[in-house]
């Protein structure tokens, strides 16, 4: 199956990162978001991140310009997907929203187009079931920051056709990524393993076994992780972590996945991590400085 034209739905952090890597690798990309201001911000972010690669010598100025020329923006979903060979949905992690979007995509995309979701934990089989092409629906789970992280977790739904999986595997390699194919069960692999680690870190803090800095330093230096689990939770978003843990907890019916009450409280209090300026740490806008939140200081 040949894939040349890509449409990315959702201009948030993941959507702009996905559009960035496709455009950088020579694909024609349409980025779609119903919010025109968000779309404009996303294009500026892509330009800034491409410039960061130019500064590092990873891209030439011409390659940056070519990548930007490959990119267009659109606020109308139907108009944005009608030419696409592949649509990658990267909207907010909300099941009802994704089901609504996939019905729209199925109606507007041409026959034979592949519909992929960047979902971190919502069932691909469930999403596929609202379309008339469940064999052409697949999970294409990129990691944040998309231009930097090598992995694409590819999730086969119950009905996904082998030819579709092969196409997405080949395409991920064309993006310079390493694809790994898994089956559609709660949390897939990445989050089935990552989220219990993050939850255990939050439990360790909640039970007073150690402070934020000790927990993160032990995991960072002891296990060679680039970030400790609490900093990573802030980076991912505490609301996203909570929602994935609930998918695991409800999907397996096993209390080992029950979210720590401290995580639940922080989400209810609106302390969602980097995006709200505070989680386990406090973040100053426009600065890389990061301090342990007052709440967790000894
Ligand atoms: N676009 C392009 N380049 C970027 C970038 C972006 N958005 N963000 C960072 N970079 C580049 C920087 O330019 C820099 O490049 P060089 O190595 O060539 O200098 C490099 O990435 C490192 O960035 P920084 O120097 O700014 O910062 P750092 O060394 O602290 O690294 C990090 C930042 C890459 C985020 C690193 O801390 C890291 O890998 N953290 C873990 C990230 C992770 O685990 N992500 C997965 C989260 S889970 C997920 O996404 C899925 C889910 O379902 C929840």
């Amino acid at each position: 199956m040949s894939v040349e034209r890509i449409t990315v739905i959702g201009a948030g952090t993941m959507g702009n990162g996905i559009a960035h890597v496709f455009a950088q690798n020579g694909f024609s990309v349409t980025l779609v978001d119903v919010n025109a201001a968000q779309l404009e911000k996303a294009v500026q972010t892509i330009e800034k991140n491409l410039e960061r690669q130019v500064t590092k010598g990873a891209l030439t100025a011409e390659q940056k310009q070519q990548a930007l020329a490959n990119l267009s923006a659109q606020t109308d979903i139907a108009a944005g997907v009608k030419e696409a060979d592949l649509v990658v949905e990267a909207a907010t992690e909300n099941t009802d929203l994704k089901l609504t979007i996939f019905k729209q995509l199925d109606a507007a995309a041409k026959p034979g187009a592949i519909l992929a979701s960047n979902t971190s934990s919502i069932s691909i089989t469930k999403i596929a079931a609202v379309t008339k092409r469940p064999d052409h629906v697949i999970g294409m789970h990129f990691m944040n920051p998309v231009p930097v992280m090598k992995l694409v977790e590819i999730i086969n739904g119950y009905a996904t056709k082998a030819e579709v999986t092969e196409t997405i595997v080949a395409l991920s390699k064309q993006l310079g990524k390493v694809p790994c194919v898994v089956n559609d069960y709660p949390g897939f692999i990445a989050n089935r393993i990552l989220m219990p680690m993050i939850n255990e870190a939050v439990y360790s803090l909640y039970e007073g076994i150690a402070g934020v800095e000790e927990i993160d330093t032990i995991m960072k230096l002891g296990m060679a992780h680039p970030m400790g689990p609490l900093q990573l939770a802030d980076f991912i978003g505490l609301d996203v972590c909570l929602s994935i843990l609930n998918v695991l907890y409800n999907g397996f019916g096993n209390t080992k996945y029950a979210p720590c009450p401290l995580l639940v409280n922080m989400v209810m209090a609106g302390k969602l991590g980097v995006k709200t300026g505070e989680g386990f740490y406090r973040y100053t806008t426009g600065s890389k400085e990061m301090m342990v939140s007052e709440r967790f200081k000894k």
Side-chain angles (χ1 to χ4, degrees):
M1 296 166 90
S2 134
V3 175
E4 279 158 26
R5 301 183 69 91
I6 320 286
T7 296
V8 178
I9 309 291
T13 307
M14 295 307 286
N16 78 51
I18 295 166
H20 172 142
V21 294
F22 275 111
Q24 186 192 323
N25 286 283
F27 292 90
S28 161
V29 187
T30 306
L31 182 58
V32 176
D33 200 297
V34 285
N35 181 335
Q38 174 82 0
L39 206 47
E40 200 183 317
K41 201 173 129 208
V43 175
Q44 284 166 6
T45 303
I46 293 172
E47 182 161 11
K48 198 180 79 198
N49 284 329
L50 285 166
E51 185 55 38
R52 193 206 284 245
Q53 290 167 289
V54 173
T55 309
K56 300 272 178 189
L59 281 186
T60 64
E62 292 70 38
Q63 285 168 321
K64 174 191 157 187
Q65 285 317 322
Q66 187 52 55
L68 288 171
N70 290 342
L71 187 68
S72 62
Q74 171 64 261
T75 50
D76 184 89
I77 289 199
V81 306
K82 70 177 197 294
E83 306 286 341
D85 305 310
L86 166 70
V87 183
V88 184
E89 170 275 323
T92 311
E93 281 294 279
N94 172 303
T95 306
D96 290 341
L97 175 68
K98 290 207 193 274
L99 298 184
T100 305
I101 290 175
F102 269 78
K103 280 185 205 156
Q104 288 175 288
L105 297 180
D106 189 35
K110 62 188 184 191
I114 299 175
L115 306 182
S117 177
N118 177 57
T119 181
S120 50
S121 66
I122 296 169
S123 163
I124 298 301
T125 305
K126 186 174 194 164
I127 292 173
V130 302
T131 74
K132 295 193 177 68
R133 60 179 98 193
D135 57 347
H136 276 62
V137 177
I138 193 162
M140 197 174 185
H141 183 204
F142 291 85
M143 304 289 132
N144 185 24
V146 182
V148 179
M149 304 295 285
K150 283 281 181 197
L151 178 71
V152 182
E153 185 181 37
I154 295 172
I155 304 106
N156 277 331
Y158 193 83
T160 310
K161 230 177 166 170
E163 200 187 345
V164 170
T165 311
E166 284 156 19
T167 303
I168 298 301
V169 164
L171 190 65
S172 303
K173 289 181 185 164
Q174 274 180 271
L175 298 178
K177 304 286 185 199
V178 177
C180 282
V181 180
V182 307
N183 289 321
D184 182 27
Y185 288 97
F188 319 134
I189 288 294
N191 282 314
R192 180 169 178 170
I193 296 174
L194 175 64
M195 288 303 156
M197 180 188 74
I198 287 179
N199 202 32
E200 210 54 40
V202 185
Y203 263 115
S204 306
L205 179 69
Y206 173 67
E207 291 170 3
I209 298 166
V212 169
E213 272 174 329
E214 289 74 19
I215 293 168
D216 274 358
T217 305
I218 286 168
M219 296 306 288
K220 224 173 125 170
L221 301 186
M223 320 299 153
H225 291 184
M227 290 173 164
L230 299 173
Q231 188 191 349
L232 182 57
D234 274 3
F235 179 68
I236 292 168
L238 301 195
D239 52 339
V240 176
C241 294
L242 177 60
S243 122
I244 298 172
L245 279 163
N246 279 325
V247 167
L248 290 168
Y249 183 36
N250 296 327
F252 291 114
N254 188 329
T255 51
K256 78 175 177 181
Y257 299 111
C260 176
L262 173 59
L263 180 67
V264 176
N265 261 0
M266 289 175 76
V267 172
M268 285 194 293
K271 305 293 183 194
L272 307 183
V274 178
K275 64 184 159 192
T276 59
E278 188 178 342
F280 297 104
Y281 296 87
R282 259 190 313 109
Y283 304 85
T284 320
T285 323
S287 148
K288 275 191 130 183
E289 197 196 349
M290 186 181 81
M291 309 257 297
V292 173
S293 159
E294 296 301 325
R295 179 132 200 135
F296 301 111
K297 282 210 171 130
K298 292 202 183 114

